[in-house]
Amino acid sequence: MLHFRQPAGTSRGVYTERRIWLVTMSDGERTGVGECAPLPKLSCDDISDYESVLRRFCDIVQQTGQIPYDDLRDYPSMLFGLETAWLSLHATPHSQGGLPQLFDTPFSRGEEGIPINGLVWMGTFDEMRQRIEQKLEQGFRCIKLKIGAIDFDSELALLKQIRQRFGPLDVELRVDANGAFTPDEALYRLELLSQYALHSIEQPIRAGQWGMLSDLCRESPLPIALDEELIGVNDPEQKRQLLNIIRPRYIVLKPSLHGGMAGCREWIDIARSMQIGSWITSALESNVGLSAIAQFCSHVYGPAISRPQGLGTGQLFTDNIPMPLEIRNARLWISSHS
């Protein structure tokens, strides 16, 4: 169990602790570790018998020497953990501060950092203003705000304050509504938000309303990114159908939620074929999962990533698993000094 330094608020509730499962694979000489971390009331594999199902899949891997990808499609957090453990077991020797090199990329070799956004959790007006100030002081020039929990006018006032100090060329602003808007109010609110030159808004209305979301994406003055909408859509043809109907500007991918690394790779390929952009974020994993997500990100998007990713979550917990990950100049790095 991991514990948050401060309560992490979203429009779905507040997290104070985080339960994870670590899986290990060994060939007798080397050992690989992966993290399985479903999000309560959000993951499609947030099930009551999670541990016994995970045990069954671990037994299959042990017996066959293979990951049963098709059987794991509907269990993305389990698939991600098993993929990570497998890659970790077969990784290049641990050259970067004891961190397994899952992919051969400049980031994995410690030569390049990945640009990340600064995440501002929901809170009172004063709390959010203080957190924004901290992120700006730390050098972040892409800020993501969780909105939808406090008074909407107060959230607009926060955005106005930032824009009075920093233009869109100075600071990129993203907001994440986590489905907080009703379909009736969504377009009006998007119009109000758009006056602050935002990069995008994630999931303005709750998932499952494809027709309404399609209309919103077509009419919105603000680019819309999908997140929760993608959860549980694990078949490649369904993925294509969803993106074809809704036509968002972006999709935001979390391997623990959206099909593991294999499933996210499918989403990225399908989105690219439709000129839909994407970026990757963590889903509040420990450093074990965060390291794997970051290395996967550097692999699928190639060197010199320009779009900030959502990988700045390693400092959220008081009792995180130590790993040589550090944030320098608003970039996530693998440190060779650890």
Side-chain angles (χ1 to χ4, degrees):
M1 192 75 75
L2 303 175
H3 300 86
F4 285 87
R5 293 185 187 278
Q6 57 190 32
T10 77
S11 59
R12 290 184 302 273
V14 178
Y15 294 114
T16 58
E17 57 185 22
R18 182 80 167 95
R19 192 175 189 190
I20 64 170
W21 284 261
L22 296 178
V23 296
T24 58
M25 294 185 189
S26 176
D27 61 7
E29 295 181 5
R30 298 174 300 173
T31 299
V33 181
E35 177 177 355
C36 303
L39 275 171
K41 300 180 182 178
L42 185 61
S43 297
C44 63
D45 55 357
D46 174 34
I47 52 178
S48 58
D49 58 343
Y50 188 93
E51 197 163 324
S52 62
V53 174
L54 176 58
R55 167 61 60 188
R56 177 163 54 85
F57 283 122
C58 287
D59 290 342
I60 291 172
V61 174
Q62 186 173 9
Q63 292 161 10
T64 64
Q66 295 180 324
I67 296 175
Y69 283 94
D70 286 341
D71 294 338
L72 278 160
R73 275 191 179 274
D74 293 331
Y75 304 92
S77 66
M78 298 185 197
L79 174 55
F80 174 62
L82 291 169
E83 286 176 310
T84 301
W86 182 272
L87 287 169
S88 178
L89 174 63
H90 298 92
T92 299
H94 301 196
S95 57
Q96 287 298 326
L99 197 68
Q101 187 178 307
L102 307 186
F103 300 96
D104 186 17
T105 69
F107 171 77
S108 298
R109 296 192 298 268
E111 301 166 2
E112 186 177 277
I114 298 175
I116 60 175
N117 62 250
L119 178 60
V120 175
W121 291 97
M122 288 179 177
T124 66
F125 180 87
D126 289 336
E127 286 172 341
M128 292 184 73
R129 182 174 59 186
Q130 184 179 9
R131 291 167 190 168
I132 291 167
E133 292 288 348
Q134 288 173 345
K135 294 300 178 185
L136 293 172
E137 288 172 6
Q138 290 165 5
F140 286 96
R141 287 301 174 258
C142 176
I143 305 290
K144 174 179 170 178
L145 287 83
K146 296 273 188 179
I147 64 172
I150 64 174
D151 176 66
F152 184 64
D153 288 337
S154 296
E155 291 170 337
L156 291 177
L158 278 171
L159 294 168
K160 183 178 181 179
Q161 283 188 8
I162 300 173
R163 277 292 173 250
Q164 285 174 338
R165 290 176 54 197
F166 301 98
L169 295 180
D170 302 313
V171 172
E172 179 180 290
L173 291 175
R174 301 173 180 174
V175 294
D176 183 0
N178 287 124
F181 302 162
T182 68
D184 291 340
E185 71 190 4
L187 185 58
Y188 177 62
R189 289 194 167 191
L190 292 177
E191 289 169 349
L192 292 176
L193 288 166
S194 69
Q195 66 187 310
Y196 300 113
L198 306 186
H199 172 271
S200 57
I201 181 170
E202 289 181 40
Q203 204 67 45
I205 63 175
R206 62 178 174 79
Q209 307 174 86
W210 288 16
M212 293 177 184
L213 198 50
S214 175
D215 292 342
L216 208 53
C217 285
R218 189 173 62 251
E219 298 170 17
S220 172
L222 188 59
I224 290 175
L226 301 187
D227 180 354
E228 288 92 337
E229 200 69 50
L230 313 179
I231 296 171
V233 182
N234 300 315
D235 176 76
E237 198 47 50
Q238 280 185 317
K239 294 177 181 180
R240 191 174 300 279
Q241 184 182 20
L242 181 149
L243 293 182
N244 192 44
I245 290 172
I246 299 177
R247 291 283 171 170
R249 184 79 65 86
Y250 304 104
I251 57 175
V252 184
L253 297 167
K254 300 177 173 73
S256 289
L257 291 176
H258 300 130
M261 298 184 203
C264 285
R265 201 185 295 264
E266 285 180 354
W267 276 116
I268 291 168
D269 289 344
I270 295 169
R272 279 176 174 163
S273 72
M274 299 182 184
Q275 286 77 54
I276 295 169
S278 65
W279 64 88
I280 288 174
T281 82
S282 57
L284 306 180
E285 294 88 356
S286 78
N287 278 335
V288 173
L290 177 61
S291 164
I293 294 167
Q295 293 193 60
F296 171 68
C297 177
S298 71
H299 175 64
V300 292
Y301 291 137
I305 297 171
S306 59
R307 179 175 290 150
Q309 310 290 308
L311 303 174
T313 55
Q315 299 169 322
L316 292 176
F317 305 109
T318 60
D319 45 6
N320 208 337
I321 296 166
M323 281 200 165
L325 296 171
E326 63 178 348
I327 296 173
R328 300 199 312 264
N329 302 321
R331 288 175 176 262
L332 182 69
W333 292 80
I334 293 175
S335 172
S336 58
H337 307 299
S338 300

